[in-house]
Amino acid sequence: MRPDDWYCTQDLTGFLSHAGSFLRSRPDLHTVALTVTETLRTSGLRAYGDEAPVFGVLELDGQVRAAYFRTPPYRLNVTPLTPAEAETLAAHLVALGHSVPGVIAARDTAEAFVAAWRRHTGARAAVSQRQRLYRLGNLTLPHPVPPGRARVAGKEDRDRLIRWYGEFIESVGDHAARDAAGWADSRISYGGVTFWEGEDGTPLSMAGVTPLVAGQVRIAPVYTPAGLRGRGYAGAVTAQVSRAVLASGVREVLLFTDLANQTSNSLYQRIGYRAVADFTAYDFRGARGF
C-alpha cells in the first residue's frame, strides 16, 4: 500500500461516484460523511464555508477501502482505517501540501492518524472531544412525560432557532459547521427541528434531525436552555422525534453524544439507544497543523 493509492479531488460528483456505494455500505459508521455530502449536493459546495471542500478515496484492486473529506476550516473526517492506511493517508496529505487543523474519526482510527501525522509533520495533538455513536433499538417513551407537547418548528420560529443553535454550539465548546441562519433555514425547509413546548405554547427544548440519506437519519442537535434543564424536556422531545422518524418508515436512527456528559448518555440509553462505536476529535498545533 502506497500514498499514491489515495485519490484526492474537489469534485463532489466524482467523489460520490467512487465512494458512494462504500459509504452506504455502513451508513452508521459513515453517517457524518453521508449527511455532509448530501448537504453539499443539495445546498452547494459553499454550504460550510467559503473554501472548497476536499475529498479523498483509498482504492485498492478496484475496491474502495476508505474515504475522507474536509470542509475548510474544519477538521479532517476519516472513515475507519487500519494503522497502515492511516500512515499512507498522512503521507498522501503531506505530499499534497495540505495543512490539517485536526481530525475526527472512530477512536482507533483517530489515534492511528494522530500518530502518523506527528511522525510526518511534528504536529502536536490535543483531544477536543470524545463522542459515542448510538443506534436506536426498541424505543421506550420516558415516564413521566413532562407537561406540554411536541411541535415541528416553522418559519415563525426562525429567530429562536438561530439563537438556540448558537447557544448549543457555545455549550458544546465547538465551532459551528454552518452559520446559524443557514442552518435554521435549511432545517425549516424540511421540518428538521421539533420543539417540546409548554402548555402555554412556549418552546422549552428542541431536537433536530438530519435529512434521510442511505436509509438513515441522525438526531442532532438536542438542546435545552440552561435554565430549563433537568425537567425531562430533552428526553421527551428526543423520544417524540425518534418515534416520528420510525413512523415514517426509517429504521436506522442514530445520534452522537459527548462522553463527558453522563446525563445525556444515560438519558439516550433509557429511551432505547445502544452504543455503536466511540469517536475522538483531535486538534493539531504546530508544524503542519494550525
Side-chain angles (χ1 to χ4, degrees), residues 77-91:
N77 189 295
V78 188
T79 65
L81 304 175
T82 66
E85 291 166 348
E87 185 71 27
T88 61
L89 174 57

Side-chain angles (χ1 to χ4, degrees), residues 50-251:
D50 293 332
E51 192 173 342
V54 177
F55 312 97
V57 177
L58 174 62
E59 192 168 357
L60 295 172
D61 300 322
Q63 297 293 317
V64 174
R65 297 278 297 274
Y68 70 81
F69 74 87
R70 184 171 169 240
T71 53
Y74 305 109
R75 301 180 186 100
L76 181 74
N77 189 295
V78 188
T79 65
L81 304 175
T82 66
E85 291 166 348
E87 185 71 27
T88 61
L89 174 57
H92 158 79
L93 294 171
V94 168
L96 292 175
H98 288 197
S99 293
V100 177
V103 64
I104 183 166
R107 181 182 58 201
D108 291 348
T109 293
E111 292 173 356
F113 182 80
V114 164
W117 192 247
R118 183 167 187 173
R119 283 192 293 272
H120 284 273
T121 70
R124 302 179 303 279
V127 173
S128 173
Q129 190 179 64
R130 301 187 190 277
Q131 303 175 343
R132 180 159 291 161
L133 175 66
Y134 288 90
R135 177 192 292 113
L136 181 60
N138 295 319
L139 178 64
T140 301
L141 298 179
H143 184 78
V145 177
R149 65 193 68 81
R151 173 177 69 81
V152 176
K155 292 181 179 179
E156 69 278 11
D157 301 300
R158 184 176 186 268
D159 289 346
R160 186 184 300 274
L161 290 177
I162 291 171
R163 185 171 70 255
W164 279 14
Y165 181 67
E167 292 173 3
F168 166 77
I169 294 299
E170 183 177 358
S171 72
V172 298
D174 208 346
H175 302 290
R178 300 189 68 178
D179 71 276
W183 175 85
D185 291 338
S186 174
R187 291 304 178 98
I188 290 169
S189 72
Y190 66 89
V193 176
T194 296
F195 290 130
W196 188 262
E197 60 180 23
E199 294 177 317
D200 64 354
T202 301
L204 304 170
S205 184
M206 73 173 181
V209 61
T210 63
L212 175 66
V213 57
Q216 57 89 36
V217 301
R218 193 169 69 257
I219 306 297
V222 177
Y223 176 71
T224 305
L228 298 172
R229 294 172 190 168
R231 306 180 191 183
Y233 302 141
V237 72
T238 301
Q240 290 299 324
V241 169
S242 301
R243 184 165 71 172
V245 170
L246 291 175
S248 73
V250 176
R251 289 294 172 261

